[in-house]
């Protein structure tokens, strides 16, 4: 079974702190994604990586950065956390295969609260 | 503007009936569409994928249709059970490897 794990289920941080969210997948997937999910807005893509050290901005990258030094690990960084970044953060991975008809496997999510 | 619409109101049905969920989209031309299930506090789980040249796809009690003229997908669960209660998300392929998700419809199946 594919497993995507996230470093924390719940996290509370203060405004201005630097926050690291870690995601690890164990199925040798090329693609990894970071989403945030908010009521009424659904899942929105923050960043996407299709290979080690490669990254692409999603729909809402402002205030975030990412790092992919190893194939299995994709980190989301909040440089200076703000209260409007309070959200559920979901990591996902997928195989890279031709034209991308591939399901995404999600982690359990990290509920981040910024005070 | 591009939009994916799923009914934001919860769908309440009785056990044994067929649940039908709708996904409408505008200003997209997706090559394929996926459906996911999400339980409270958990990540989405993939259910089905349908390609633009497929009209219908089935998997056990699940059926998905994809009408690119109407820009609509319907997701059916036959013989629904209380364990089917969850939020169901549709997702459109918008580019290489990327998906855009709808906000989801919550399904409640009562015994």
């Amino acid at each position: 079974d594919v497993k995507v794990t996230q470093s924390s289920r719940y996290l509370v941080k203060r405004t201005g702190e630097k926050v690291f969210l870690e995601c690890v997948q164990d199925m040798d997937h090329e693609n990894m994604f970071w989403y945030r999910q908010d009521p009424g807005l659904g899942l929105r893509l923050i960043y996407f990586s299709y290979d080690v050290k490669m990254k692409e901005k999603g729909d809402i990258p402002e205030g975030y950065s990412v790092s992919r030094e190893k194939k299995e690990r994709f980190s989301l960084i909040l440089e200076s956390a703000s209260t409007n970044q309070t959200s559920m953060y979901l990591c996902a991975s997928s195989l890279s295969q031709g034209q991308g008809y591939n399901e995404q496997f999600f982690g359990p999510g990290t509920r981040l609260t910024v005070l | 503007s591009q939009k994916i619409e799923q009914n934001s109101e919860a769908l309440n049905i009785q056990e044994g009936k067929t649940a039908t969920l709708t996904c409408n989209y505008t200003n997209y031309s997706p090559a394929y569409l996926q459906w996911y299930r999400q339980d409270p506090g958990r990540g989405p789980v993939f259910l089905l994928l349908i390609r633009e040249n497929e009209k219908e796809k089935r998997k056990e009690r699940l059926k998905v249709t994809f009408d690119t003229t109407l820009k609509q997908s319907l997701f059916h669960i036959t013989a629904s059970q209380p364990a089917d209660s969850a939020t169901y998300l549709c997702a459109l392929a918008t580019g290489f490897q990327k998906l855009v998700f709808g906000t989801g419809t919550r399904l409640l199946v009562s015994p």
Side-chain angles (χ1 to χ4, degrees):
Chain A
D1 272 357
V2 176
K3 198 153 185 195
V4 179
T5 56
Q6 295 184 228
S7 48
S8 308
R9 290 303 307 273
Y10 301 93
L11 210 52
V12 179
K13 295 291 181 181
R14 298 213 173 270
T15 302
E17 278 192 79
K18 191 168 186 175
V19 182
F20 293 86
L21 302 182
E22 305 284 339
C23 175
V24 177
Q25 49 94 6
D26 66 358
M27 283 302 289
D28 204 35
H29 284 174
E30 293 84 0
N31 306 312
M32 295 188 76
F33 308 83
W34 274 108
Y35 296 91
R36 64 178 281 177
Q37 187 172 31
D38 301 287
L41 296 176
L43 278 159
R44 292 179 291 166
L45 182 65
I46 305 171
Y47 266 99
F48 158 52
S49 169
Y50 52 91
D51 202 350
V52 176
K53 297 192 188 294
M54 305 304 287
K55 62 185 179 186
E56 193 173 302
K57 290 180 180 178
D59 300 316
I60 50 165
E62 297 78 19
Y64 303 94
S65 61
V66 290
S67 171
R68 191 148 180 221
E69 296 296 317
K70 292 185 177 181
K71 190 175 185 180
E72 68 270 18
R73 188 179 297 269
F74 192 34
S75 303
L76 180 69
I77 303 148
L78 286 65
E79 297 290 343
S80 177
S82 64
T83 54
N84 63 12
Q85 293 179 309
T86 292
S87 187
M88 171 70 94
Y89 289 88
L90 288 155
C91 174
S93 72
S94 71
L95 274 172
S96 195
Q97 200 175 66
Q99 296 178 36
Y101 295 159
N102 299 309
E103 64 188 278
Q104 292 187 9
F105 294 86
F106 283 83
T110 296
R111 186 162 292 282
L112 172 67
T113 302
V114 183
L115 301 174
Chain B
S1 63
Q2 296 175 316
K3 205 189 298 185
I4 302 172
E5 288 184 339
Q6 293 187 258
N7 197 338
S8 58
E9 290 184 16
L11 178 64
N12 288 276
I13 63 167
Q14 268 204 305
E15 183 174 9
K17 302 288 186 188
T18 296
T20 299
L21 307 176
T22 305
C23 176
N24 294 300
Y25 59 93
T26 54
N27 295 324
Y28 285 108
S29 297
Y32 62 98
L33 186 149
Q34 299 182 2
W35 282 88
Y36 288 76
R37 169 187 171 136
Q38 187 174 24
D39 292 289
R42 307 188 78 161
V45 174
F46 172 79
L47 295 174
L48 278 169
L49 176 153
I50 187 165
R51 292 175 174 79
E52 61 180 337
N53 60 353
E54 297 174 320
K55 297 294 183 190
E56 184 179 296
K57 199 83 170 278
R58 291 177 186 260
K59 181 182 173 183
E60 297 170 356
R61 294 185 296 111
L62 309 180
K63 183 178 89 171
V64 172
T65 62
F66 191 10
D67 189 326
T68 55
T69 303
L70 289 179
K71 294 187 180 292
Q72 181 182 78
S73 175
L74 299 178
F75 177 81
H76 307 271
I77 306 175
T78 57
S80 59
Q81 304 165 1
D84 295 326
S85 298
T87 297
Y88 291 86
L89 309 172
C90 72
L92 274 59
T94 60
F96 182 66
Q97 308 296 347
K98 289 192 286 188
L99 297 172
V100 173
F101 285 83
T103 53
T105 298
R106 190 168 169 220
L107 173 66
L108 297 167
V109 182
S110 44

